[in-house]
Amino acid sequence: MTDAVGSIDTPDAQDEALESKKKARKGGKRAKKGPLKRLATFYRQVIAELRKVVWPTRNQLTSYTTVVIFFVAIMIALVTVIDYGLNHAAKYVFG
């Protein structure tokens, strides 16, 4: 019985050609470019990724900022109360 074309047991001629090309290159793309070209490519990729970001609207930014400031104020008050209570407890115990 013969295998079908492209089966796992018998790879196609195209697959073999791709594998031989991959094995022939040793350095890859990175070896051909200098450090400045790689740096330029990196910055181009960063800018391309930043263009994909969904930036918040002014209303969303205002509401997010308000929530963060409110939460930080609550946490400051909580830490202050705990610090004040522990300070008085230490003075009572030790002094």
Side-chain angles (χ1 to χ4, degrees), residues 7-24:
S7 70
I8 296 173
D9 296 332
T10 57
D12 291 333
Q14 292 175 351
D15 292 340
E16 290 174 1
L18 287 174
E19 287 177 15
S20 64
K21 284 182 182 179
K22 287 181 183 178
K23 290 179 184 177

Side-chain angles (χ1 to χ4, degrees), residues 10 14 24 27 50 63 75:
T10 57
Q14 292 175 351
L50 284 175
S63 65
M75 293 308 295

Side-chain angles (χ1 to χ4, degrees), residues 83-95:
D83 183 49
Y84 184 75
L86 289 175
N87 187 18
H88 280 289
K91 284 183 182 178
Y92 178 77
V93 171
F94 297 113

Side-chain angles (χ1 to χ4, degrees), residues 40-93:
T41 303
F42 171 74
Y43 283 121
R44 268 190 256 119
Q45 290 173 351
V46 167
I47 291 169
E49 287 298 321
L50 284 175
R51 286 187 180 136
K52 295 178 186 178
V53 173
V54 178
W55 298 99
T57 63
R58 185 174 294 271
N59 290 337
Q60 289 173 334
L61 189 62
T62 304
S63 65
Y64 296 160
T65 304
T66 304
V67 167
V68 168
I69 290 173
F70 184 70
F71 178 75
V72 169
I74 289 175
M75 293 308 295
I76 288 172
L78 181 67
V79 169
T80 302
V81 168
I82 291 172
D83 183 49
Y84 184 75
L86 289 175
N87 187 18
H88 280 289
K91 284 183 182 178
Y92 178 77
V93 171

